[in-house]
Amino acid sequence: MVNPGKRMNILKTLLNLRHGPGAAILPPEISRLHMDFALRWNDGHMGPRKFWKTCLPRLKFWNPAVPMIINRSSNNAGPATLSIYFRQAAAAAPTPTGSAAAKVNHITPLAQQPHSSTINECPAPPPAEGERVVTIEMKHQHSDAILQEFLQKTGATVLRPSPDEENEMRQAEDLKERAAIDRSIMKKYIDDKRAEERLLARAREEAEAIRLANQ
Amino acid sequence: MASTSQFLASLARLSISSPASRPAASSVPRFLAPSATTQIRCASGGTAQMQARQREKDKLKRKRRQQRFKEYKYAVPSGKGEQFSLCDAMRYLRAAEVGRPPSSVTYEVALKVRTIKNGPVIRNRIRFPYPVKNDTRVGVICPEGSNAMHDARTAGAVAFGEQSLFELIKANANNLPFNRLICHTDSVQALNKAGLGRVLGPKGLMPSLKTNTITKNVKAMMNEMVGAETYREKIGVIRIPIGNIQFSPKQLSENVKTFIESIKGDIARMEDRVDKDIIEVVLCSTNGPGFTLNGGFLPTDEKVEPADLATAM
């Protein structure tokens, strides 16, 4: 735990967790998401990986009730798919908060539900009764393209930051820029100091050599 | 330099000793000064030994005055926006940890404590109402068909017995069904005779008195072993894993409460007059940022229910 001042600067970037690509509210009929791709990025698995790292946290933040499972395997030749599970309108009356999804999931104990895995433990489950699956092929695709297709297929509403938040984001950005400048100044200072020390050391060595030669 | 300082000191003393006339330091005629220094030297000076003794006394006095000891630095988070309710913090952390296997992700708590540097530290064991790791599988070595074996079976040991267990250990040494092994006192001789030290020793499973894994009361030992967690204060902070990422807010809040109660109990129980107090409670997760908790529970966003924060990860 670092000191609060430092930590608060880091927490400012919480805005990054709220706003940016992927900040969208999913319609209530979406019951869960499942991603299936490889651990390493070769063979076109970079897009899905980036989508997970950049967009999925924001999606999860705005839709905390929707389970988002990521099943990764060491098989790079395998497919990279994103499955979106739609609840059929008839099966469950869509509630505004999506707590129906939670209810459905609480029927089976948590330990037996599919969970994220790095060893291919939980491949995409077949759709349950009254569910419909839409898949997105993610292989060899850029994460932006994946996001666009995802938003289009789910019909999610994209969130925009409020003016206040935009302002704060700009401040955080400024802080980052200033940090970069400060860092370069500091680096120059340290480098100069080291160069000088090196010069001095060499001069001293030479003096020593001359002294030894004279003796 | 020393002489001038002494001279000034003597002047000061002179002025105190004669408050009636009170000459200003600068107004003292210069011809008076040498005589004044010599006077004082005679009055307070003395041999080097005496001066040394005086210095010693002063040091003691200063030491007695210094009752406050050095503390670890801390800063109190101020302002309302910097603290989070439990559900808010959980929402952020779950977002930060999305897609990670839940077995490798835990909620953690860091408790900042105001404490002196050279004082006693808080250290204890705690059993959470909802244990963080429930993968402790205990094997019990006990005489076949004894009471202890019955106890082990009812307490949920994965493997028990004597000769049968030894054979099992020898047969698949690399794939043992348990990760803790305890031994009943009646079976110690049989265990030593079986010569399993080579198999169990490197895995740290060999029961011994030193590791406190030989017992008369199998049941109590197993209870103690499952789900107990040790914590210890290090440079003013106590850190401990407090919950699985799949815990519901209610479970997590109960764990946090238990933990803080336990710490408060530890502080109260400390002997001497140590005053430690809790400054802040920070909730973080394995890969997530840290959130100072404000003691509240409900999320600030009405659209999110606590139940939503317990779905599969």
Side-chain angles (χ1 to χ4, degrees):
Chain A
M1 188 172 66
V2 287
N3 72 49
K6 217 183 218 174
R7 211 164 60 222
M8 280 314 139
N9 272 342
I10 295 170
L11 280 188
K12 280 261 169 66
T13 49
L14 281 185
L15 277 169
N16 261 340
L17 246 167
R18 289 207 301 267
H19 291 296
I25 292 182
L26 296 173
E29 60 260 24
I30 285 175
S31 60
R32 57 196 155 139
L33 301 179
H34 186 283
M35 283 175 84
D36 204 334
F37 57 96
L39 273 173
R40 295 183 172 269
W41 59 266
N42 319 35
D43 297 339
H45 285 275
M46 193 50 149
R49 187 192 170 83
K50 284 284 171 197
F51 180 74
W52 163 44
K53 288 278 180 189
T54 57
C55 307
L56 212 60
R58 292 187 197 112
L59 270 175
K60 181 73 181 173
F61 179 82
W62 289 110
N63 312 283
V66 179
M68 298 177 186
I69 312 295
I70 291 184
N71 178 48
R72 289 183 291 161
S73 63
S74 48
N75 176 21
N76 275 73
T81 46
L82 167 61
S83 334
I84 309 156
Y85 291 75
F86 283 91
R87 205 178 289 122
Q88 267 349 1
T95 49
T97 56
S99 60
K103 245 177 252 158
V104 167
N105 284 314
H106 276 298
I107 294 167
T108 52
L110 214 54
Q112 284 155 31
Q113 279 176 42
H115 55 85
S116 298
S117 154
T118 52
I119 46 172
N120 200 11
E121 278 176 319
C122 303
E129 192 84 11
E131 255 185 343
R132 161 172 76 90
V133 188
V134 174
T135 57
I136 296 173
E137 268 313 313
M138 297 189 292
K139 216 168 179 183
H140 292 293
Q141 288 225 50
H142 196 268
S143 61
D144 292 351
I146 298 171
L147 179 66
Q148 207 156 22
E149 198 178 343
F150 176 80
L151 291 179
Q152 188 210 335
K153 282 194 174 167
T154 53
T157 46
V158 179
L159 284 161
R160 299 249 168 260
S162 68
D164 268 7
E165 284 166 330
E166 244 171 24
N167 200 13
E168 240 175 281
M169 279 165 97
R170 215 172 303 123
Q171 275 174 12
E173 206 60 33
D174 286 350
L175 199 68
K176 222 187 226 170
E177 269 172 36
R178 225 174 55 216
I181 293 168
D182 286 352
R183 221 175 292 129
S184 67
I185 290 172
M186 211 51 214
K187 183 165 188 320
K188 190 170 172 293
Y189 171 70
I190 289 168
D191 283 352
D192 286 354
K193 207 166 136 196
R194 285 199 185 135
E196 201 174 307
E197 269 169 19
R198 228 176 295 131
L199 259 177
L200 268 177
R202 204 187 297 151
R204 224 172 283 135
E205 249 172 44
E206 274 168 17
E208 189 77 0
I210 290 166
R211 198 173 59 84
L212 280 177
N214 285 344
Q215 266 178 3
Chain B
M1 286 310 286
S3 66
T4 50
S5 69
Q6 267 173 349
F7 164 59
L8 282 179
S10 66
L11 278 183
R13 255 178 243 178
L14 262 181
S15 62
I16 289 165
S17 61
S18 56
S21 61
R22 187 173 288 248
S26 58
S27 70
V28 174
R30 213 165 164 79
F31 60 84
L32 266 179
S35 71
T37 41
T38 46
Q39 253 184 4
I40 289 307
R41 223 176 242 160
C42 291
S44 78
T47 57
Q49 277 179 335
M50 281 170 77
Q51 282 175 356
R53 225 175 294 145
Q54 186 63 33
R55 243 179 278 133
E56 203 88 325
K57 256 187 204 167
D58 284 351
K59 212 191 259 176
L60 250 173
K61 223 186 257 173
R62 234 179 293 135
K63 203 171 184 187
R64 237 175 266 143
R65 216 181 304 143
Q66 189 193 15
Q67 281 299 330
R68 268 177 57 105
F69 293 102
K70 281 181 184 168
E71 286 180 350
Y72 285 113
K73 280 183 193 164
Y74 64 87
V76 183
S78 58
K80 227 178 166 189
E82 293 173 343
Q83 296 191 328
F84 295 81
S85 77
L86 185 76
C87 280
D88 280 350
M90 280 180 80
R91 186 178 176 190
Y92 275 113
L93 289 175
R94 282 170 66 87
E97 302 284 2
V98 67
R100 306 240 181 220
S103 56
S104 69
V105 176
T106 53
Y107 289 113
E108 283 150 31
V109 154
L111 207 68
K112 188 95 184 159
V113 182
R114 191 175 65 78
T115 177
I116 53 174
K117 279 186 179 178
N118 57 353
V121 295
I122 300 168
R123 59 186 302 186
N124 205 350
R125 271 155 85 94
I126 188 175
R127 283 174 58 86
F128 286 123
Y130 301 96
V132 179
K133 283 180 223 151
N134 40 15
D135 62 337
T136 34
R137 301 178 305 274
V138 185
V140 182
I141 299 170
C142 52
E144 307 273 354
S146 64
N147 263 345
M149 188 161 163
H150 180 72
D151 281 349
R153 189 181 288 145
T154 49
V158 288
F160 38 80
E162 203 166 71
Q163 287 308 325
S164 58
L165 186 55
F166 294 158
E167 267 157 40
L168 182 137
I169 291 168
K170 271 178 197 159
N172 43 2
N174 286 329
N175 193 14
L176 293 173
F178 47 82
N179 50 14
R180 300 281 165 83
L181 189 60
I182 58 178
C183 181
H184 194 260
T185 33
D186 295 348
S187 299
V188 174
Q189 283 202 334
L191 175 70
N192 290 340
K193 223 178 268 173
L196 288 170
R198 286 207 150 179
V199 183
L200 296 175
K203 297 183 203 299
L205 287 173
M206 188 71 189
S208 78
L209 275 177
K210 220 197 271 174
T211 53
N212 198 15
T213 41
I214 291 176
T215 177
K216 265 185 181 166
N217 191 348
V218 170
K219 208 174 190 176
M221 175 68 83
M222 282 182 69
N223 263 339
E224 193 187 316
M225 231 165 211
V226 175
E229 200 84 43
T230 58
Y231 58 84
R232 175 194 180 121
E233 174 195 331
K234 280 178 191 162
I235 40 174
V237 190
I238 307 165
R239 296 181 179 81
I240 193 171
I242 202 149
N244 192 307
I245 196 75
Q246 290 192 323
F247 275 6
S248 69
K250 199 125 209 175
Q251 287 175 317
L252 195 68
S253 81
E254 241 159 78
N255 270 4
V256 173
K257 256 181 224 156
T258 322
F259 179 54
I260 290 171
E261 290 297 309
S262 151
I263 296 283
K264 278 185 181 160
D266 287 341
I267 292 172
R269 234 176 292 121
M270 281 203 154
E271 67 280 341
D272 308 343
R273 42 189 195 87
V274 277
D275 49 334
K276 298 188 179 221
D277 26 84
I278 296 168
I279 296 163
E280 64 170 330
V281 186
V282 178
L283 183 74
C284 57
S285 67
T286 309
N287 310 297
F291 294 89
T292 305
L293 297 183
N294 63 2
F297 177 76
L298 287 174
T300 41
D301 190 349
E302 295 103 24
K303 282 179 200 157
V304 179
E305 288 174 26
D308 294 346
L309 297 168
T311 51
M313 283 290 282

